[in-house]
Amino acid sequence: MRRTRLARGQRSHIATRVSTPSRRPAPAAQPADGPAHNLVVGGFAAAVLLLSLVTAGDAIAARRPGSDPDALKMLGDAAGAARTTTYEGTQTTTTWSRGAPATAQERVAHNLGTGTFVRGRAVDRRSDARQAGVEEVHGGLGGFSGSMLDLLARNYSVVRADDGSICGRTAHVIEARRPDGSAAGRFWIDRDTGLMLHRELLDPVGRVANVTGFRSLSVIRPGAGTSGTSGERPDASPPPGRPLASAELGDLRDHGWALPEGLPGGLSLREARRSGEVVHLSYSDGLSMVSVFVQRGRLDERRFARWHRKITAGRTVFQQDALHRWAVWENGGYVYTVLADAPEGTSDAIAAAMPRSGAGFWQRLGRGFRRLNPFD
Amino acid sequence: MSHLGERLTALVDGELGHDERDRALAHLAACEQCRAEAEALRRLKSQLRALRGADPAPGLLHRLDAMGDPTRPGPFGDPSGTTSARTGSSVARTGSSSPAVRRRRTRRPGRRAPAGGALRAPAVAARRDAPRGRYLIAGAATLAVLGVGASFAAGAQPERLPPVTPALEQFAVDHALTAGDVSIADPTVLRDPPVGP
């Protein structure tokens, strides 16, 4: 995998490859008049995002009105197309942080029956659902699973925009819009194969925060259909750890683990897994993907000496924005690691909103009693 | 004329018979010395009677009572109450208690049962037991508060936990697998070498 830091001109080069409808704020419209301006605008965007995340909360419980069923169907069918189409190409992922992009680029090949490979590495996951013939796809260019599509429709209005082109292919463009009408995400769906070709996440002020898409694509064999499952059994690594049931999560919470069901910005807990001593919580609002890893212990801060250090809600949070937005902190004998594919400021909001963990009154009392007990 | 002598004391105490008392009074009418001595004896007796009315402090009696073996009769009676059952009252048994002591006994609650029973009312018994009960409750509460406070303070420091370095590389892979992204590694993070101790 190759990673490059792109200058503005290079980024514009990518943007020129993306034919965008006139209604959306074009990525090329990013201000390019110096780092100071970027910092000011970036800070303002982060503040707006924080405000929107906090005010949005989990109050959005119902499906947003105004979603286009055709648009939702295209997003759902993209998952089937990703399974059944044989293709190869180059994918890039770019994340902007404080006006600076970080990009990774990989060769991707998908073969019907063997799965998706990145330079020889299989990244598809095997699960019980897959064994039953229903592949579980969560996001990215792999399309949307049913639950992810529900989350998307609950938090955003999903509508069609004008068609565009990308990688030399004609694409349907779909927008996910916030309640105020601003675009939060855009998707380019290949008109011929139904593959998702390109995906953008935008912050509340219209700046592109993250882009994932094909830079080049060769379709070797179109899929048999866009909505069916192929029954393929790719050789893939099983997901790490085991899923945690609600009762197990409740037990952990009773023992002081802070494992919230929701995070600011409509991020809902989708899945919880435990691998060894690490609990992995996956959150999403349909667009952004956030992982929170929780483990017992004291944070060894030496590893993060080069990271940005920030005080959030009284907690020392180590941050690093690269392809993903990282945030690490310790609270009450637990170490939290947040990894977000989300607009800037999301990790700040999560660190501020994460409930305090550690022993409550009775746990602390019991711990003290055990220490004082001479017969123990 | 011979004086009354010891009969004067008996006169003052009211212990003379009728005839002897008349003769003594006739002598006092004629003898100024005996009359003065009788007056002095009466004043002295009156003063002694007044002295008997002074009661000891209630707390002193309680403490003295508590110092004794609970199985033995205390200085003011049998705590088991059996004395009263046998003899009616310790006053009746000894026959030598002063009025002051008798009053004190009537105030003492009914571990003993005076013959009349009127002095052993439940309210009196409750007043007798109340201080000891309060002491017990106060003592238990103090111990409980001290125990809870000490345990809470001792539990303030978290348990000794091992230092943790999050496995960022593995987390990136786990995140990518969950998110369905192709880019499963974050080179910027992975290229950050661990800082040596």
Side-chain angles (χ1 to χ4, degrees):
Chain A
M1 185 168 61
R2 181 172 60 89
R3 174 187 167 271
T4 55
R5 285 269 178 186
L6 300 182
R8 280 291 168 197
Q10 289 172 289
R11 180 168 174 267
S12 297
H13 170 71
I14 293 178
T16 56
R17 293 171 173 268
V18 180
S19 175
T20 59
S22 58
R23 274 186 291 172
R24 75 180 180 90
Q30 297 282 318
D33 49 352
H37 183 84
N38 284 334
L39 284 177
V40 171
V41 176
F44 176 71
V48 171
L49 175 68
L50 268 175
L51 185 62
S52 65
L53 289 177
V54 170
T55 53
D58 291 325
I60 307 167
R63 193 183 180 107
R64 292 230 169 263
S67 286
D68 183 348
D70 288 342
L72 290 172
K73 185 173 186 306
M74 280 187 205
L75 291 178
D77 287 348
R83 285 193 303 270
T84 58
T85 304
T86 299
Y87 62 86
E88 63 180 25
T90 304
Q91 276 190 14
T92 60
T93 297
T94 303
T95 300
W96 280 267
S97 302
R98 298 180 183 88
T103 296
Q105 179 173 292
E106 293 186 288
R107 289 288 298 173
V108 179
H110 180 81
N111 299 307
L112 192 63
T114 57
T116 305
F117 288 81
V118 179
R119 301 182 68 177
R121 221 173 29 219
V123 296
D124 278 353
R125 52 185 296 182
R126 177 186 296 165
S127 66
D128 294 339
R130 182 191 292 274
Q131 297 297 331
V134 180
E135 185 174 9
E136 189 177 357
V137 180
H138 296 289
L141 297 182
F144 283 81
S145 65
S147 60
M148 282 292 288
L149 210 54
D150 283 344
L151 274 176
L152 184 71
R154 187 190 307 172
N155 291 290
Y156 302 97
S157 296
V158 182
V159 297
R160 288 190 59 177
D162 295 339
D163 288 353
S165 66
I166 195 165
C167 300
R169 305 179 69 90
T170 304
H172 304 299
V173 179
I174 296 171
E175 275 191 1
R177 294 176 179 166
R178 299 186 181 88
D180 62 2
S182 63
R186 292 195 187 96
F187 308 91
W188 277 255
I189 307 295
D190 186 31
R191 190 180 62 182
D192 295 334
T193 63
L195 283 173
M196 187 179 292
L197 303 174
H198 193 84
R199 183 189 67 161
E200 288 182 355
L201 298 183
L202 298 97
D203 64 21
V205 295
R207 293 161 53 95
V208 176
N210 175 271
V211 169
T212 301
F214 286 100
R215 194 162 187 164
S216 63
L217 175 67
S218 297
V219 176
I220 299 169
R221 186 172 59 196
T226 55
S227 58
T229 55
S230 66
E232 62 178 304
R233 297 287 189 271
D235 295 327
S237 301
R242 62 177 181 84
L244 286 174
S246 297
E248 292 175 290
L249 279 176
D251 286 344
L252 288 173
R253 290 181 181 121
D254 291 342
H255 285 83
W257 292 67
L259 311 171
E261 285 290 331
L263 293 175
L267 291 167
S268 302
L269 179 62
R270 298 175 47 250
E271 186 180 24
R273 307 185 70 86
R274 181 161 195 168
S275 178
E277 297 302 314
V278 180
V279 173
H280 176 192
L281 306 171
S282 300
Y283 298 89
S284 180
D285 64 346
L287 283 178
S288 300
M289 298 295 298
V290 175
S291 287
V292 179
F293 298 89
V294 190
Q295 56 195 128
R296 294 279 282 143
R298 295 180 295 106
L299 179 63
D300 185 356
E301 299 183 356
R302 292 174 301 175
R303 174 70 172 80
F304 306 98
R306 299 179 186 177
W307 287 34
H308 178 61
R309 186 187 184 109
K310 188 174 183 180
I311 304 297
T312 300
R315 300 161 182 167
T316 301
V317 181
F318 297 90
Q319 293 180 315
Q320 173 129 309
D321 287 347
L323 274 185
H324 306 295
R325 305 187 194 282
W326 293 82
V328 181
W329 72 91
E330 176 193 337
N331 178 34
Y334 294 80
V335 175
Y336 296 84
T337 304
V338 169
L339 203 168
D341 295 326
E344 207 168 359
T346 301
S347 59
D348 275 344
I350 292 172
M354 189 65 76
R356 290 196 172 278
S357 56
F361 175 80
W362 294 112
Q363 283 92 5
R364 175 174 168 175
L365 203 62
R367 189 169 62 201
F369 182 76
R370 285 192 299 275
R371 287 175 179 170
L372 295 178
N373 184 6
F375 305 107
D376 199 6
Chain B
M1 185 177 71
S2 62
H3 297 290
L4 290 176
E6 291 185 357
R7 286 180 297 170
L8 187 60
T9 306
L11 174 67
V12 171
D13 289 340
E15 294 174 349
L16 293 178
H18 185 265
D19 292 340
E20 217 172 0
R21 179 171 174 271
D22 285 345
R23 283 194 293 272
L25 291 175
H27 177 81
L28 286 180
C31 180
E32 185 177 350
Q33 181 182 348
C34 286
R35 196 164 58 242
E37 190 174 349
E39 186 60 29
L41 283 173
R42 287 195 181 98
R43 282 201 303 270
L44 178 60
K45 190 172 183 179
S46 175
Q47 289 173 349
L48 288 174
R49 189 177 291 117
L51 285 177
R52 280 187 233 136
D55 291 340
L60 173 64
L61 293 174
H62 285 295
R63 287 193 294 274
L64 289 173
D65 200 14
M67 287 169 63
D69 185 345
T71 61
R72 294 188 308 170
F76 305 106
D78 182 3
S80 67
T82 55
T83 303
S84 300
R86 290 194 306 267
T87 64
S89 75
S90 59
V91 176
R93 182 187 60 189
T94 60
S96 60
S97 299
S98 69
V101 173
R102 280 197 296 273
R103 278 197 299 277
R104 169 53 49 203
R105 282 180 177 171
T106 60
R107 291 175 189 173
R108 294 174 61 76
R111 285 180 300 175
R112 288 172 291 110
L119 300 178
R120 299 180 59 243
V124 177
R127 280 203 304 274
R128 172 65 181 86
D129 289 335
R132 185 167 297 175
R134 281 197 293 270
Y135 293 148
L136 287 174
I137 292 173
T142 303
L143 283 176
V145 168
L146 288 176
V148 168
S151 297
F152 192 74
Q157 290 299 322
E159 296 163 3
R160 289 188 176 277
L161 295 170
V164 166
T165 301
L168 303 180
E169 297 84 355
Q170 182 61 46
F171 290 173
V173 172
D174 294 354
H175 173 77
L177 288 172
T178 305
D181 283 341
V182 169
S183 300
I184 63 171
D186 197 330
T188 299
V189 174
L190 303 188
R191 284 175 185 171
D192 262 349
V195 178

